[in-house]
Each structure stands twice: as C-alpha cells, then as structure tokens.
Amino acid sequence: MKNKYFFLVLFVFVLSACDSQRAPQATTEWDDPLWQAHYKALKPIQKFSLKGRIGISNSQDSFSSNFRWQQNAFQDFQFRMYGVLGNTYVLMNSKPNWSTLETGDDRFLEGPDASILIAKTMSWTIPLNYLSDWIKGVPTGVGQDQIAINQDGTLQTLNYQGPSTSFEHTYTVSYEKYKVFSGRPMPTKIRITNTLGDKIILSIRSWEL
C-alpha cells in the first residue's frame, strides 16, 4: 500500500512539473534583427514534420497521447494521434478545400473544414490552417500588436481573435521552451488556450525541416 501511495505521489509530482510554466524572457520589438532573421527563415518553410506528446483538456474531457504532424505543402498536412503500442486514435488528412478524419473506434468524417471535423470528434476548437505556422513559432493571421517576441529573436506569445464564424474565439499561444534543430531554435513546448476553456499542450521531441 505504501508503494502504491509513493508512486501516486510521484506521478502527480511529475505531471505537475511537466505542466509548469517557465518565467518568460524580456521582450523586444518586431524590427529586431534577430527576430526578423528568424521569422524570414521559417515563414517560407512549408514542408516539415514533428513528433511528441499532446495533452488536451476541456469542459468535457481530458486525455493525452503521442502525436505526429507531417506538413507536405500549404494547407496539405497529416495529423495522427496514437498510443504507446502504435494504435491510432485520430488520423486526419487535410488538403486544400477537403479533409478526412478517422478515429480508432471506426468513425469516419469528411468535409471542407478540418477545424470543424476536429470539433465534432474531439470537442475542442482550433484554426488548424493557422496551426501549421503557429507550431513553428510563426504568427500568421495575427497583427504585430498581438504578439510578444523574446530577446533571443523567438516568438514568446501570440493572441488571435477568430473571424465572425462559429469559431469566433480568442486563442492565446505561449511558447515555453525552444531547442535547436537543423541549426534553428524550434518550439519544444507550446501551450494553447481559448476563451472556451480548452487547453492544449504540445511537448515536441523532434523536428525535421
């Protein structure tokens, strides 16, 4: 019984440590040469892949899994969530103007808006077409007055107000950790929240650019 209690306390401690936020850096301006060089190098990259863990929580549910994001071109990506044994929970293939989504319990959906498919199956909302840039630390769709830039030339936060549609929510994206891959600092921990109370945490193990 003592051993069970010890491991329970250890698990809670590790989970809390993984979810903790580091103190942000001091910020700089849009015209900072470090940021401009970083932004201009990453913005054109439309083919990349990354792997890691994703944690999702909202008013209805919370869960976590491994994930892989494969970006093939603009508005052309594959997103897969899977378990430790490789079993697929969610598989999305998104092309311009049409997307499909399959789940581990044999549900299949398709339609022109990938974000709507995710909302129907996962009960969380996010503008997926912007996420392909946000995940790199590029603030597409956001004005200069809605971002904060670290002094080392990386993105610290962005705030996005959705258009006048069913996804009209405010999103805050916080970039809590970076690591160098292929000679560039890339995000390795991203926290995304919205005004509905949804929270997504991406812990990224590897980038291929």
Side-chain angles (χ1 to χ4, degrees), residues 115-128:
S115 297
I116 290 178
L117 299 185
I118 283 287
K120 286 181 177 179
T121 55
M122 311 291 290
S123 299
W124 52 275
T125 64
I126 191 164
L128 285 173

Side-chain angles (χ1 to χ4, degrees), residues 10-26:
L10 181 63
F11 174 76
V12 172
F13 174 78
V14 171
L15 187 63
S16 300
C18 291
D19 193 44
S20 62
Q21 300 186 49
R22 298 196 312 171
Q25 293 184 37

Side-chain angles (χ1 to χ4, degrees), residues 37-45 136-138 184-186 209:
H38 182 67
Y39 174 79
K40 290 176 181 178
L42 287 181
K43 179 64 175 176
I45 297 175
K136 297 183 296 184
V138 174
R184 304 186 190 282
M186 302 301 296
L209 300 173

Side-chain angles (χ1 to χ4, degrees), residues 29-178:
E29 302 297 325
W30 176 267
D31 293 331
D32 187 297
L34 286 176
W35 163 249
Q36 285 296 311
H38 182 67
Y39 174 79
K40 290 176 181 178
L42 287 181
K43 179 64 175 176
I45 297 175
Q46 292 297 331
K47 188 171 184 178
F48 59 86
S49 64
L50 61 150
K51 295 179 181 179
R53 294 281 297 177
I54 182 171
I56 301 169
S57 63
N58 55 41
S59 60
Q60 299 184 33
D61 200 2
S62 62
F63 56 94
S64 66
S65 77
N66 297 306
F67 83 98
R68 182 176 186 270
W69 183 290
Q70 174 69 50
Q71 189 78 25
N72 301 308
F74 179 64
Q75 294 187 348
D76 180 345
F77 66 87
Q78 182 184 81
F79 172 65
R80 178 176 177 242
M81 296 174 59
Y82 58 98
V84 293
L85 300 178
N87 48 313
T88 296
Y89 302 141
V90 172
L91 178 62
M92 168 171 279
N93 285 285
S94 185
K95 304 285 185 181
N97 303 317
W98 201 256
S99 299
T100 63
L101 187 148
E102 303 171 63
T103 67
D105 56 358
D106 297 325
R107 295 181 66 189
F108 178 84
L109 293 89
E110 59 183 337
D113 192 323
S115 297
I116 290 178
L117 299 185
I118 283 287
K120 286 181 177 179
T121 55
M122 311 291 290
S123 299
W124 52 275
T125 64
I126 191 164
L128 285 173
N129 285 333
Y130 284 145
L131 186 60
S132 62
D133 269 353
W134 291 357
I135 206 169
K136 297 183 296 184
V138 174
T140 298
V142 179
Q144 295 181 20
D145 59 341
Q146 296 298 311
I147 68 173
I149 301 165
N150 290 315
Q151 283 193 334
D152 65 4
T154 57
L155 190 61
Q156 183 180 112
T157 60
L158 69 83
N159 292 286
Y160 170 78
Q161 176 65 52
S164 298
T165 67
S166 57
F167 291 94
E168 188 179 3
H169 309 302
T170 298
Y171 295 83
T172 298
V173 183
S174 302
Y175 299 85
E176 298 180 4
K177 294 181 182 179
Y178 284 84

